[in-house]
Amino acid sequence: MAFCVIKILSLYAGTIKKKNHSMEYSHPDAAYILALMRVTGVGVARAKALMDYYESAQNVWKEKSQALLTLPGLNAEIVGQFGSGKLLDLAKEELEWMAQHSIRMSFYRDADYPQRLADCTDCPVAVFYRGGANLNPSKSLAVVGTRRATEYGKQLTSSVIGELATLFVEPPTIVSGLAIGIDAMGHKAALNNNMPTVAVLGHGLATIYPRYNRSLAVKILEQGGVLMTEYQHDIWPDGPNFVQRDRIIAGLSDATLVAESADKGGSLITASCALSYNRDVFAFPGRVSDVTYAGCNRLIRTNRAALVATGRDIASAMNWDVDAPAALDEPVQTNLFTGLTGEEKDVVRLLRKMPDGISANEIAKTLDVHMSKISSTLIQLEFKNKVRLLPGNLYVLVL
């Protein structure tokens, strides 16, 4: 797997001021927790069971081998790693690295551990994160989908998230996985609408994968969002890690929206995790012939996901009280309208409601404006990189 290893100081340079050691994790058991997480063969469930049984990671670490070997699921190979000075040294180095790079750690017993995630039986022993978003917001929505997103899928994702932003004084936090395609669009739409967003990574925080989304990761931090992972900083991208990552995306969220998915893919794993946590799942429908919507259509057809088409559909299904209806008439994406004339703003507002595109003739009819005037306006919007012409003479917004 190709990936880009990025020194964390260069990634975050100019983003959030380094705070030296002020971010150091002060839990007295911290080094032992980190060391226990590095023991090969223990796993999340057994590590938590051991800490619960012995009341602390330090007690586990210092327990006699003979006693540990009497416990279910432990063998000589696993127990032989307990008490390892090398693993404990690595744990101490991890704490030093975290302090140097303003990385926070939250242990599953800590009060600041994300409560929605803590409610999941397979929640991580600890999560590591950087950024300022509230990890226990009043509302949260996972937005996931295919890496091979269509223009329709990306536009609809952007439109629905934009609408959610207008419905609430405190809009939902958007959670996704920083992948190319729908994930990236979910994060971008959240940032464009001044909504908090959390990117859950399948590797340690010394790396950003995929490299293509490095600048997006920086923007998330710049706008107060969060990069989060369950992996210590020297763990690099690996396929199984991303499957594990999907459960965290679902666990952090009140509901999961599958915006576009083929019949197989990580977004369906996220949906399955959400269902196992008794969380709601929503999906956008596609045509029966659309390969990239086969997964969404199957979720809907088998009653595992509710069909939605708008942000208000999601808000209604979640019983989220809409507290800012007047904002619907004035989009939050003020940067989208910068430098536009009144006529151009009218066209942009219409295109925001048409994620799959609309012809110039339909624009003219809908706005009741002469075709020559609409043609001139569309040309100006193309010059300003606000709209794009797709095959079939359909216009869409440039995101």
Side-chain angles (χ1 to χ4, degrees):
M1 178 184 292
F3 60 89
C4 178
V5 177
I6 300 172
K7 295 295 184 183
I8 201 153
L9 285 180
S10 64
L11 170 63
Y12 301 142
T15 303
I16 299 179
K17 188 176 181 181
K18 186 179 173 184
K19 299 181 180 178
N20 296 320
H21 295 266
S22 62
M23 298 299 297
E24 187 169 3
Y25 186 65
S26 59
H27 194 292
D29 213 28
Y32 296 97
I33 293 169
L34 293 172
L36 186 59
M37 290 172 67
R38 286 183 178 269
V39 173
T40 302
V42 169
V44 170
R46 188 168 292 122
K48 289 192 291 185
L50 285 168
M51 285 185 281
D52 289 343
Y53 182 76
Y54 282 101
E55 298 184 344
S56 76
Q58 184 173 355
N59 290 342
V60 176
W61 204 251
K62 295 183 176 181
E63 177 62 286
K64 294 179 180 180
S65 297
Q66 297 92 323
L68 290 169
L69 286 171
T70 65
L71 300 177
L74 297 182
N75 56 37
E77 184 178 354
I78 295 173
V79 170
Q81 300 172 71
F82 292 148
S84 165
K86 180 180 178 180
L87 292 184
L88 197 57
D89 286 343
L90 286 173
K92 292 174 181 177
E93 290 175 10
E94 183 72 22
L95 287 171
E96 179 67 19
W97 188 90
M98 289 165 53
Q100 290 174 352
H101 299 103
S102 299
I103 304 301
R104 301 176 183 178
M105 170 181 164
S106 185
F107 180 48
Y108 78 100
R109 291 177 179 170
D110 290 345
D112 65 349
Y113 191 88
Q115 187 56 56
R116 292 174 178 84
L117 191 58
D119 290 339
C120 305
T121 56
D122 59 352
C123 70
V125 170
V127 291
F128 308 93
Y129 61 97
R130 173 149 186 171
N134 178 11
L135 299 183
N136 289 293
S138 61
K139 299 177 287 293
S140 60
L141 177 69
V143 178
V144 295
T146 178
R147 288 169 172 79
R148 299 180 177 86
T150 62
E151 196 67 35
Y152 171 78
K154 290 188 288 187
Q155 290 284 346
L156 187 55
T157 300
S158 177
S159 176
V160 166
I161 292 175
E163 183 183 356
L164 283 171
T166 69
L167 295 176
F168 307 99
V169 171
E170 184 181 345
T173 293
I174 302 301
V175 183
S176 198
L178 201 70
I180 294 170
I182 293 296
D183 285 24
M185 181 53 61
H187 293 305
K188 289 176 183 177
L191 296 176
N192 288 340
N193 288 280
N194 300 316
M195 300 167 73
T197 187
V198 176
V200 185
L201 310 178
H203 47 76
L205 285 167
T207 306
I208 288 298
Y209 177 85
R211 177 176 57 182
Y212 181 83
N213 282 339
R214 176 185 180 274
S215 60
L216 177 57
V218 171
K219 287 180 181 178
I220 288 172
L221 292 178
E222 286 176 339
Q223 293 189 216
V226 163
L227 303 182
M228 177 185 289
T229 182
E230 68 176 310
Y231 298 107
Q232 298 183 44
H233 85 277
D234 57 349
I235 303 300
W236 309 128
D238 189 30
N241 294 356
F242 292 93
V243 175
Q244 293 299 308
R245 179 272 312 270
D246 293 337
R247 84 188 194 285
I248 300 178
I249 295 175
L252 288 169
S253 309
D254 293 318
T256 293
L257 169 63
V258 183
E260 183 173 11
S261 176
D263 209 33
K264 294 181 180 180
S267 55
L268 297 184
I269 296 174
T270 308
S272 294
C273 290
L275 290 168
S276 74
Y277 302 148
N278 293 316
R279 310 283 172 86
D280 290 280
V281 175
F282 305 111
F284 293 147
R287 294 174 299 188
V288 294
S289 59
D290 289 342
V291 174
T292 58
Y293 274 92
C296 291
N297 290 340
R298 181 158 56 87
L299 285 172
I300 295 168
R301 186 174 63 251
T302 56
N303 295 317
R304 289 186 293 157
L307 185 157
V308 294
T310 67
R312 195 172 283 273
D313 288 344
I314 295 172
S316 176
M318 294 301 298
N319 292 316
W320 288 341
D321 292 333
V322 175
D323 49 19
L328 285 172
D329 296 329
E330 190 58 40
V332 174
Q333 292 173 285
T334 54
N335 60 322
L336 191 63
F337 298 90
T338 302
L340 301 187
T341 66
E343 292 84 359
E344 291 167 348
K345 290 179 180 179
D346 289 340
V347 173
V348 168
R349 288 191 181 96
L350 177 61
L351 289 176
R352 289 183 76 232
K353 301 175 183 177
M354 301 292 179
D356 52 342
I358 184 173
S359 68
N361 282 333
E362 288 300 316
I363 294 173
K365 290 178 183 178
T366 303
L367 298 179
D368 194 22
V369 177
H370 195 275
M371 183 62 191
S372 61
K373 181 66 174 176
I374 289 298
S375 297
S376 175
T377 301
L378 287 169
I379 290 172
Q380 292 302 316
L381 287 171
E382 285 190 85
F383 287 154
K384 295 176 181 180
N385 197 34
K386 298 292 186 180
V387 305
R388 175 172 42 186
L389 181 62
L390 299 178
N393 293 318
L394 299 178
Y395 286 89
V396 294
L397 286 181
V398 173
L399 300 174

